[in-house]
Amino acid sequence: LPGLSFDVIHRYAVVDRYLVDLANTYPNVRVFSAGRSVEGRDIKYITISTTNFQDTRKPVVMLQSLLHAREWVTLPATLYAIEKLVIDVTERDLVNDIDWIILPIANPDGYEHSHTSARFWRKNRARNSFCMGVDLNRNFDIFWGTASSTNPCSDTFHGRRAFSEPESAIVRDILHAHRNRLELYIDIHSFGSMVLYGYGNRQLPPNALAVNYLGVQMAQAIDAVKWPQNRNYIVGNVAMVLYMASGGSSDYAMVTGVPFSYTFELPSYRGITSTVQGFLVEPDFILQAGFETWEAIKVGARFAARNFNRR
Ligand code: 0X9
Ligand code: ZN
């Protein structure tokens, strides 16, 4: 039976195989090839549904990780959610009442590059010039180019145009395909212990009050799980609590009609927040990251189910 350990950060090939194995083993899981990365890696996602996405009374919840390559701890968080929704199911309602889309490795080229060559690589592996890579979280078509870099050598380079990169276009296509029923989208990043919402230009969405409310509920669920090095989560608009940022995937999800859309920033390595060392992952935290993030996902998903049924 398929199963992945939570003592190491798994590579692309292992996760890719695992998603296929899950779909071959569990009737409610399907695996899809969403397209290929710049270097030709297949970008796969799974769906989890007891009704094969045919029951339009169910909301869709989408989870995503590794849009930024170096943010390794986000992968076990997503894999843990898969484990709890497919293999070790203790929350039946979440499996029955919700259709799930889970995209564990949104940026496979950058991710592999961060394993083989440059641990702190963030972008994809687009060949721009002598500097490579586009920041995929600046490449979505949402006030594109207004709070990002025009310099291909910058870590926040936004690309030649919105959706110039296959990896961001793939996420766009998934969001569009499910726009009518997508109620909650969580793009998992690190680090900073934050639950962020749009927009990255300081503008608030019309439902900001509800978005903030759910953000606080999710953050509190994580904070209730104690881990010595963790800080309490901060909740807020990305531009107000972090910085201005254009072209972000979670902001783009909102304008496609997803009412609840967040960027999670998981905790840093040993509480380090001032240097890239914060992207390192303590082996003991791999399981913990999955466990505590799942607490927030559960809260978000149950809220999404209730809210969708009141529509
Ligand atoms: O800068 C980013 O892309 C994210 N932070 S990170 O340290 N993981 O790079 C925050 C993105 C939040 N963006 C929007 N909600 N627009
Ligand atoms: Zn990130």
Side-chain angles (χ1 to χ4, degrees):
L1 283 178
L4 288 181
S5 58
F6 286 93
D7 55 355
V8 292
I9 302 291
H10 295 289
R11 297 284 291 270
Y12 165 82
V14 172
V15 175
D16 192 65
R17 177 77 234 167
Y18 173 65
L19 299 181
V20 172
D21 289 346
L22 285 174
N24 286 334
T25 309
Y26 298 95
N28 64 335
V29 178
R30 294 190 164 212
V31 65
F32 295 88
S33 292
R36 289 186 180 276
S37 64
V38 168
E39 291 178 346
R41 290 187 178 84
D42 199 14
I43 299 182
K44 289 193 181 73
Y45 65 93
I46 59 163
T47 58
I48 305 167
S49 173
T50 55
T51 46
N52 193 24
F53 274 66
Q54 296 303 302
D55 187 346
T56 55
R57 293 165 307 180
K58 291 187 191 181
V60 175
V61 173
M62 177 166 171
L63 308 177
Q64 174 183 305
S65 47
L66 287 179
L67 194 60
H68 285 148
R70 63 192 174 190
E71 299 168 8
W72 289 8
V73 75
T74 66
L75 179 61
T78 303
L79 296 178
Y80 188 93
I82 293 176
E83 171 102 6
K84 296 303 291 180
L85 290 166
V86 176
I87 298 170
D88 175 23
V89 182
T90 53
E91 325 278 333
R92 264 280 139 214
D93 62 312
L94 295 181
V95 177
N96 292 334
D97 302 348
I98 294 166
D99 284 348
W100 295 84
I101 300 172
I102 306 186
L103 170 55
I105 307 183
N107 173 13
D109 299 350
Y111 181 56
E112 281 299 296
H113 189 70
S114 75
H115 276 276
T116 58
S117 311
R119 174 63 186 84
F120 300 118
W121 190 258
R122 165 182 170 98
K123 302 184 284 182
N124 76 346
R125 293 293 293 161
R127 309 176 143 276
N128 315 307
S129 59
F130 57 93
C131 284
M132 289 174 75
V134 169
D135 182 350
L136 298 172
N137 216 24
R138 300 292 180 280
N139 192 240
F140 287 69
D141 192 9
I142 171 81
F143 45 91
W144 179 85
T146 58
S148 51
S149 178
T150 55
N151 176 1
C153 299
S154 164
D155 252 350
T156 57
F157 176 51
H158 53 221
R160 298 183 316 280
R161 54 181 161 81
F163 295 125
S164 56
E165 306 310 300
E167 296 90 352
S168 51
I170 280 167
V171 174
R172 171 198 64 197
D173 292 347
I174 298 170
L175 292 169
H176 279 237
H178 297 277
R179 67 199 316 164
N180 296 325
R181 284 203 287 136
L182 254 170
E183 187 73 14
L184 172 65
Y185 171 75
I186 304 175
D187 185 24
I188 307 176
H189 287 248
S190 74
F191 51 79
S193 305
M194 296 171 191
V195 170
L196 304 172
Y197 53 84
Y199 293 101
N201 62 353
R202 288 212 181 94
Q203 208 183 348
L204 290 171
N207 63 337
L209 217 58
V211 170
N212 185 76
Y213 170 82
L214 179 58
V216 169
Q217 301 299 306
M218 291 192 293
Q220 285 176 350
I222 296 176
D223 291 343
V225 182
K226 293 293 173 217
W227 178 260
Q229 275 109 25
N230 284 8
R231 302 163 172 239
N232 282 347
Y233 267 61
I234 294 165
V235 183
N237 171 278
V238 55
M240 298 184 210
V241 306
L242 192 56
Y243 42 60
M244 308 263 275
S246 54
S249 78
S250 68
D251 284 6
Y252 184 76
M254 275 208 145
V255 297
T256 68
V258 182
F260 295 90
S261 179
Y262 299 91
T263 306
F264 282 7
E265 297 284 357
L266 302 195
S268 63
Y269 173 71
R270 296 186 179 162
I272 297 170
T273 54
S274 52
T275 66
V276 290
Q277 301 297 114
F279 292 112
L280 299 178
V281 185
E282 202 171 348
D284 281 353
F285 191 62
I286 298 175
L287 180 61
Q288 170 70 17
F291 180 79
E292 64 179 41
T293 309
W294 174 240
E295 291 301 307
I297 295 168
K298 282 191 282 187
V299 167
R302 290 202 169 104
F303 179 95
R306 284 196 305 277
N307 206 62
F308 188 76
N309 286 317
R310 278 195 241 104
R311 277 188 186 182

